[in-house]
Amino acid sequence: MARPFHLNTPLLESVSMTQRVGTPVFLKMENSQPSGSFKIRGIGHLCQQLATDSKGVVCSSGGNAGMAAAYVARKMGVPATIVVPSSTPQLVVQRLRDQGATVNITGKVWDDANAEALRLAETEGLTYVPPFDHPLLWQGHSSVVSEVAASLDEKPGAVLLSVGGGGLLCGVIQGLKDQGRLVTLDDITSEAKCLGAKTVCRKAFEFSQSGEISIISELVTDQQALSAVETFLDEERVLVEMACGAALAAVYSGLVHRLQDEGRLPAPLGPLLVIVCGGSSVDMEQLSHLKHKLHTV
Ligand code: PLV
């Protein structure tokens, strides 16, 4: 089997988050993947299965799936077209071009861009790379759990992650099932642009309804996500985008404690595993722009 494109990322214990939550907190640093986020796990796997003889791949994305598809396609020597909505910041468009991709800006939201990507796949004979809704993606994403299991002695009491279309969620659940480790899952949905799929994939919805696993879905505000991005930068010295700040906000805003007080999360909890999903849609300029827009300065 071909060597995967993703890296085995560090699993760091966070002293400051541990102090805040009162239980050991471990950070899975997916921000350090070559494409800047966890997306490369699933997209790398999918492309290795479906795109080896492809004349080109086409991916619809809010940004990070596109970054992964562009990186993987470049490594495979296949042309990449990334269709993004107009809400995608210029800095991401530039980073996609730097990866050698052709960027096609269509529509206002991801769903519009996706319709265009499907059309291009059909008319140009390109391999369609979905950003979150495909079993091969979930299988690729599930490697994040096996890596953690190999280096954490105790099984996590809860896993905290961001949800956009639900691809990461499905991958993590699949990984937990493969490990025989069914634990409480905490999923956080925010207004962060990169989480902007109108509906989560059917599989994520089915998991949430099955009762097999406990999924707590909480919405955080943009202000909380931004504040989490800043605190994470100060305390962990790592810059991540809003889509990732949304999950981190659960720790910084006291949500974990609240859920414990309400009896929705066990107390004591055991280790909290946080998937630091990463993301390329951030730099200092973007950060100060967001601070002004959200009136936090
Ligand atoms: N981003 C997608 C979907 O957009 C994209 O095209 O890149 N964390 C980060 C940094 C992300 O970029 C995303 C989704 C998520 C988390 C959520 O992952 P998902 O979609 O698998 O739930 C529409």
Side-chain angles (χ1 to χ4, degrees), residues 7-28:
L7 302 180
N8 186 337
T9 54
L11 182 69
L12 306 177
E13 184 176 0
S14 166
V15 172
S16 64
M17 284 195 176
T18 296
Q19 275 169 354
R20 283 171 198 271
V21 183
T23 199
V25 177
F26 291 91
L27 303 172
K28 185 62 174 161

Side-chain angles (χ1 to χ4, degrees), residues 60-80:
S60 57
S61 177
N64 293 312
M67 286 295 294
Y71 175 89
V72 167
R74 181 167 64 76
K75 291 288 175 187
M76 291 176 73
V78 168

Side-chain angles (χ1 to χ4, degrees), residues 226-246:
L226 178 60
S227 159
V229 167
E230 293 180 286
T231 311
F232 198 67
L233 179 60
D234 281 345
E235 295 189 354
E236 311 294 336
R237 302 164 313 284
V238 175
L239 182 59
V240 293
E241 68 165 74
M242 292 282 278
C244 181

Side-chain angles (χ1 to χ4, degrees), residues 36-39 43 59-68 82-85 109-111 130-133 137-138 141 161-171 188 192-198 200-201 204 240-245 275-281:
S37 79
F38 71 94
K39 294 269 176 182
I43 288 179
C59 176
S60 57
S61 177
N64 293 312
M67 286 295 294
I82 312 300
V83 191
V84 296
V109 291
W110 171 81
D111 302 77
F132 52 81
D133 196 1
L137 289 181
W138 310 330
H141 290 339
L161 53 91
S162 297
V163 175
L168 176 60
L169 177 67
C170 289
I188 307 295
K193 283 282 177 292
C194 227
L195 301 180
K198 282 187 184 163
V200 293
C201 58
V240 293
E241 68 165 74
M242 292 282 278
C244 181
I275 312 285
V276 182
C277 46
S280 295
S281 186

